[in-house]
Amino acid sequence: MTTAQTAPPPPMRLRELVFGAACAAALRAAARLGVADALGDTPMAVEDLAAAVKTEPKPLRRLLRALTCYGVFTEHKNGTFAHTDMSRLLREDDPHSLRNITLWCTEPWTWDAWPLLDEAVRTGSNVVEGLYGKEFFTYLNEDAPQSAEVFNRAMTTSSRQSAQDVAALLDLSASTSVADIGGGQGHVVASLLEKYPAMRGTLLDLPRVVENADPRLREGGALADRVSIVPGDCREAIPVRADVYVIKNILEWDDDSTARALRNVMAAGGPGARVVVIENLVDDTPSMRFSTAMDLLLLLNVGGAKHTTDSMVGRLTDAGLVIDDIRPVNPYLHAFDCTVPE
């Protein structure tokens, strides 16, 4: 029976790390094949599982054996395979599914970009434009529409899963309006409006993004009469007045773009407005391995960065905001609660 290994000696641990691509590829293969979806609550023989996902049994056993070493699936003594808490997260129907995140982090462009990390570290610039001759999101939308769709699904999943945590954390009982800036499909503002039935909200993001806003916010939706959907780029202007502005996971661009977005929020809200910035951090968090990996991926694709607590504080105070509180939202997000000074 193959089981997850713990605490190997340093030489073996380093050997395992340099084969990290094999683990990522195995997770991607399992997600694309739908192995977790085909495996039910009852352990299955590999031959039956192979028939269900239309693969050859022997290579499927090899794939599953590799993943059981990391605690993804488990193999019983009789040779059958069963779910673990991690493998269930690869299922489409799991309420906490990470299938789309798994696919996004292993899309074809990532395999082109990772080998050039040393170049990105030397120059401090992204490598995607050199690879494809285009800015990253232009490349996705024009040349890799399937990857763009995976990105959209992954961001939707991530936003939906964290929106409830954000709503639970924030006390907006003294406010009458909230604006979700760069809010994607609006899961955060929707969760806040559900929490506060008398509140009005605004969602601002790029036109192609808000076209697919959460159905609760669109015409005919349960929250449509209390929300405004505004297409726009927060780095250019924010034509939205609100008591509270929420900015989640978008201040990862170059410093100039971040500064422009913060200045625009402050100008829109005016003195006394509350600004809540929510970000992954690469320090003081239990999700360091995930956050630092995403930080390097941002360097590769857009030349951006995740923040440390100090770097986020620096950007917010440089913009002129007063930081009132810093709190964890969940194991991988922190909230910086700020005020526009009088």
Side-chain angles (χ1 to χ4, degrees):
M1 179 170 61
T2 308
T3 58
Q5 299 175 10
T6 57
M12 182 52 64
R13 180 59 182 146
L14 186 59
R15 285 183 170 91
E16 291 173 356
L17 288 173
V18 297
F19 266 114
C23 180
L27 285 165
R28 180 176 178 82
R32 283 170 58 86
L33 290 168
V35 176
D37 299 284
L39 181 58
D41 293 331
T42 303
M44 290 180 68
V46 72
E47 291 78 11
D48 296 331
L49 195 53
V53 298
K54 298 180 172 57
T55 67
E56 289 296 318
K58 288 183 179 179
L60 180 60
R61 181 183 294 278
R62 293 163 66 181
L63 176 69
L64 291 169
R65 182 185 297 124
L67 287 171
T68 61
C69 294
Y70 295 92
V72 185
F73 302 110
T74 186
E75 182 181 6
H76 294 311
K77 290 182 178 180
N78 63 0
T80 60
F81 287 89
H83 272 301
T84 64
D85 289 343
M86 273 201 290
S87 66
R88 291 184 188 280
L89 297 174
L90 292 175
R91 291 181 61 95
E92 285 272 18
D93 61 1
D94 190 275
H96 305 290
S97 177
L98 294 177
R99 182 179 185 275
N100 290 319
I101 300 295
T102 299
L103 293 173
W104 168 241
C105 293
T106 56
E107 278 296 283
W109 67 268
T110 66
W111 303 94
D112 293 338
W114 279 120
L116 301 177
L117 181 58
D118 58 328
E119 178 184 330
V121 171
R122 276 197 299 268
T123 64
S125 300
N126 78 76
V127 301
V128 163
E129 289 186 39
L131 279 170
Y132 305 121
K134 296 179 181 180
E135 182 270 338
F136 177 63
F137 286 104
T138 301
Y139 160 74
L140 279 190
N141 290 309
E142 293 182 354
D143 300 337
Q146 290 184 328
S147 279
E149 178 58 28
V150 170
F151 172 77
N152 290 335
R153 292 200 305 268
M155 295 306 101
T156 297
T157 297
S158 178
S159 180
R160 184 183 295 119
Q161 291 173 350
S162 61
Q164 292 295 328
D165 294 333
V166 173
L169 175 79
L170 296 183
D171 180 0
L172 304 188
S173 54
S175 306
T176 61
S177 58
V178 61
D180 193 359
I181 303 301
Q185 295 178 330
H187 300 297
V188 168
V189 71
S191 295
L192 289 169
L193 292 179
E194 288 180 335
K195 182 179 180 181
Y196 297 102
M199 181 172 282
R200 294 196 59 83
T202 302
L203 169 65
L204 182 144
D205 211 318
L206 299 173
R208 59 178 171 78
V209 176
V210 296
E211 283 177 0
N212 297 306
D214 189 304
R216 290 173 291 177
L217 306 178
R218 298 201 300 264
E219 185 176 354
L223 304 172
D225 61 341
R226 291 196 286 132
V227 70
S228 298
I229 297 178
V230 179
D233 185 339
C234 64
R235 294 168 294 183
E236 302 301 325
I238 298 177
V240 175
R241 182 78 178 183
D243 297 334
V244 182
Y245 295 81
V246 178
I247 310 172
K248 178 176 172 289
N249 281 140
I250 63 170
L251 298 183
E252 300 167 345
W253 308 296
D254 59 275
D255 289 348
D256 179 63
S257 295
T258 294
R260 282 189 285 126
L262 290 173
R263 284 197 302 267
N264 289 339
V265 169
M266 294 174 67
R274 184 178 173 187
V275 180
V276 181
V277 175
I278 299 170
E279 288 288 337
N280 300 108
L281 298 177
V282 289
D283 66 338
D284 190 27
T285 173
S287 60
M288 283 281 288
R289 291 182 182 177
F290 172 75
S291 296
T292 55
M294 288 300 298
D295 179 51
L296 293 177
L297 197 63
L298 281 168
L299 173 61
L300 289 172
N301 64 5
V302 295
K306 294 288 185 183
H307 291 282
T308 63
T309 303
D310 287 346
S311 70
M312 193 74 256
V313 167
R315 282 157 178 78
L316 296 175
T317 55
D318 286 349
L321 288 164
V322 176
I323 300 174
D324 302 310
D325 193 18
I326 303 173
R327 287 176 291 167
V329 178
N330 56 31
Y332 54 93
L333 288 173
H334 277 67
F336 295 75
D337 212 329
C338 310
T339 306
V340 179
E342 299 289 343

